[in-house]
Amino acid sequence: MSETTASTDTITVHTGELDATITGIEDRLAAWAADTGTALAALSGRVTGTAVDKLIRPVVEDLVRTPDGYVAGAGFLANAGLLGPERSYIAWWQGEELEHVDALANFSPNSISRYVRSEWFRVPVETGQAHVTGPYVDFLCTDEYVLTFTHPVFCRPGGPVVGIVGMDVTVQRLERGAMPALRRIGERATLVNPDGRAIVSAAPDIAAGDLTAAAEGCSVHPVGRKFRIWSGATAL
Amino acid sequence: MLLTPQGASRSLAAVFTPIKSRGLVDEVCGRIEQAVETGLLTSGQRLPNETELAAALGVSAVTAREALSQLRTAGIIRTARGRNGGSFIADDVLPSRERALDQLRELTRLQISDLGLHYQAIAAACASVAARRSDAADVATLRSFIPTAEADPLHWRLALSEFLLEVAAIARSARLARELIRLQADLGTLTLLPCADAGYRVTTAALLGEVAAAVEARAPAAAEAAVKDLVAATTDWLLTEQSKRH
């Protein structure tokens, strides 16, 4: 691989750049989860849909309207119990026009059933840990090929998960941002999820969504909590 | 006026077609109908008033009012006056055999067979890519959508459409998935009719198993062939049924 892979120094610089991008998204989300928990706790049990909207919407507006930002949509999803026993509440918006996602579900008394099986909701609720889902085709919100970063929200340390905050990052935006650095790492450098599925690849024969394997002798670099860069990858 | 091949392309011409304001009303109605069909909104449940609905969906109050009126005419909602009044999801709201038969009567053979061909093309593309990109978790999810023999027609219809959407999800193509959703909307309640036929259920259950097996075996050609047979089973059933009724 030596002729198609950059020098160790160059690789360190550019993998570091991509790690900073993803870690930046994850850190922003963690800070938002903490702020949301504090604000919900301050409502001391009087949590309404309107109050949640007022809390979440300005942050989403800020996130999706950031020039050259990665976030296509973002929001909060209440766990059962916060607003009603079987009720969820979705305060999620997408696009510059801030389209309110899945708004009709908020009129359903059993709306929690709609989300409990979704990986992006289930995993942070069950584990109490941040999670990244995808890349996957998101039928609920964007109808795009996305990564969804989600983080549990707690009103008090050690308390129950009252909901999740999340951000949708389209693979398309990530490709625009990550491709130049990937190319400098190597002709076949590839950003992959934990399953080895390509998110962005410099190799012309590897498309987003393809399953890939690390090429023999390539270097592996962690990116954010879950992803890796392989300095060289092969299509499966 | 013929714009091609000398003039501008026909797809460019379409850009300048005015967007009908009707579109937004239909969109709101479609969302509510879909919420009912998937069980999110159920019979007897109160809908938000015009102002709340408009705010939630980000449309004008006029659009919301028109949508509610259209849903009322279509029998999806009923309105009660007075202190406990408001709009409610109607009692007999789920797709019915009668409504599906009405739809079948309105369609020509040409429309059905052409829709079938389009559906086959999209589903086949999804299946072939899905067979290249599937992992073990994908296959388990896909199999979970195969309904059991005793499922009722409504459930069977929903399961079939969810199964094909899952094939699109495994293919990981947003465009193909969106096209599939559009096609399923075009087919409407029509697909309820074959689902009431035990013979059709046996045939399709076997084909669903074949698609899942081919996706699991990473055999694109076999997945494509099985999914084409699956769509053809529906189209053929509808064409046969229609010819019986004429």
Side-chain angles (χ1 to χ4, degrees):
Chain A
M1 296 300 296
S2 55
E3 68 279 15
T4 56
T5 310
S7 74
T8 316
D9 283 355
T10 314
I11 291 181
T12 310
V13 168
H14 295 293
T15 54
E17 186 187 314
L18 293 176
D19 180 44
T21 300
I22 300 295
T23 305
I25 294 169
E26 289 170 345
D27 289 351
R28 178 78 184 80
L29 186 63
W32 186 23
D35 292 347
T36 306
T38 309
L40 287 174
L43 291 170
S44 54
R46 291 187 305 272
V47 182
T48 62
T50 317
V52 172
D53 285 354
K54 225 163 113 185
L55 192 65
I56 300 297
R57 199 174 188 274
V59 183
V60 176
E61 193 169 342
D62 197 36
L63 285 167
V64 300
R65 290 188 178 160
T66 304
D68 298 322
Y70 285 100
V71 180
F76 170 82
L77 199 72
N79 196 6
L82 186 66
L83 283 98
E86 292 297 311
R87 193 180 277 273
S88 177
Y89 185 82
I90 183 162
W92 199 288
W93 290 267
Q94 66 182 18
E96 294 224 348
E97 301 297 312
L98 290 177
E99 183 198 339
H100 193 170
V101 169
D102 210 32
L104 277 178
N106 288 342
F107 301 118
S108 167
N110 58 356
S111 59
I112 195 73
S113 65
R114 192 169 172 81
Y115 310 112
V116 280
R117 274 182 304 170
S118 306
E119 182 184 334
W120 49 270
F121 181 71
R122 181 177 49 81
V123 175
V125 166
E126 283 177 3
T127 63
Q129 303 284 323
H131 188 70
V132 193
T133 306
Y136 69 108
V137 177
D138 171 21
F139 288 121
L140 190 66
C141 304
T142 54
D143 282 348
E144 289 285 355
Y145 198 46
V146 301
L147 295 164
T148 300
F149 293 77
T150 44
H151 197 293
V153 174
F154 301 92
C155 282
R156 53 185 166 80
V161 176
V162 300
I164 58 113
V165 283
M167 300 178 188
D168 290 324
V169 173
T170 62
V171 170
Q172 188 184 320
R173 288 197 198 190
L174 203 59
E175 177 181 319
R176 283 226 168 82
M179 192 59 96
L182 274 179
R183 287 225 172 91
R184 288 188 189 103
I185 293 163
E187 279 177 14
R188 304 192 59 82
T190 304
L191 176 68
V192 295
N193 81 354
D195 302 329
R197 207 174 279 284
I199 304 167
V200 185
S201 177
D205 59 322
I206 298 177
D210 284 349
L211 285 168
T212 62
E216 215 181 304
C218 86
S219 55
V220 179
H221 311 269
V223 171
R225 290 172 203 259
K226 307 260 177 191
F227 304 148
R228 280 162 295 164
I229 287 171
W230 289 335
S231 64
T234 49
L236 284 184
Chain B
M1 183 174 54
L2 189 67
L3 287 168
T4 47
Q6 295 87 359
S9 86
R10 279 172 293 183
S11 55
L12 260 181
V15 173
F16 299 107
T17 311
I19 296 164
K20 298 186 190 83
S21 60
R22 195 82 217 136
L24 212 51
V25 174
D26 287 339
E27 178 78 10
V28 173
C29 291
R31 295 262 183 109
I32 291 174
E33 282 175 51
Q34 203 190 1
V36 170
E37 263 190 55
T38 55
L40 183 65
L41 299 174
T42 51
S43 291
Q45 194 178 320
R46 179 200 287 269
L47 270 185
N49 67 33
E50 205 169 281
T51 323
E52 290 168 324
L53 187 66
L57 295 176
V59 296
S60 72
V62 178
T63 303
R65 187 179 316 140
E66 266 186 60
L68 286 175
S69 142
Q70 192 167 313
L71 288 164
R72 202 172 299 124
T73 312
I76 309 275
I77 62 167
R78 62 183 166 80
T79 305
R81 306 215 174 270
R83 204 159 60 89
N84 294 317
S87 295
F88 301 85
I89 303 292
D91 294 326
D92 53 351
V93 71
L94 286 173
S96 67
R97 190 175 157 72
E98 288 67 37
R99 218 176 320 145
L101 282 172
D102 284 346
Q103 206 196 339
L104 183 64
R105 264 189 291 272
E106 280 169 21
L107 288 173
T108 61
R109 297 184 59 83
L110 177 66
Q111 284 174 307
I112 298 171
S113 55
D114 208 23
L115 189 53
L117 285 176
H118 190 185
Y119 201 3
Q120 253 185 345
I122 301 299
C126 290
S128 130
V129 184
R132 287 202 293 112
R133 290 184 163 168
S134 71
D135 59 30
D138 291 335
V139 175
T141 311
L142 188 60
R143 286 196 195 278
S144 75
F145 286 111
I146 301 179
T148 51
E150 62 269 22
D152 63 50
L154 272 174
H155 178 249
W156 196 278
R157 170 173 175 268
L158 200 60
L160 275 179
S161 82
E162 290 286 329
F163 180 93
L164 284 173
L165 275 184
E166 187 55 31
V167 173
I170 296 171
R172 294 167 167 85
S173 160
R175 271 179 182 267
L176 287 178
R178 286 195 292 259
E179 196 57 24
L180 201 62
I181 292 172
R182 239 192 313 273
L183 281 161
Q184 290 184 344
D186 285 350
L187 273 166
T189 51
L190 215 52
T191 48
L192 182 65
L193 294 171
C195 291
D197 175 345
Y200 171 86
R201 291 205 300 265
V202 171
T203 310
T204 47
L207 288 169
L208 291 171
E210 268 180 50
V211 175
V215 167
E216 183 169 34
R218 301 177 148 252
E224 203 176 310
V227 99
K228 276 187 168 173
D229 288 348
L230 182 65
V231 175
T234 308
T235 326
D236 292 350
W237 194 98
L238 289 169
L239 287 169
T240 309
E241 181 66 19
Q242 209 209 27
S243 62
K244 273 192 238 160
R245 287 171 185 274
H246 274 286

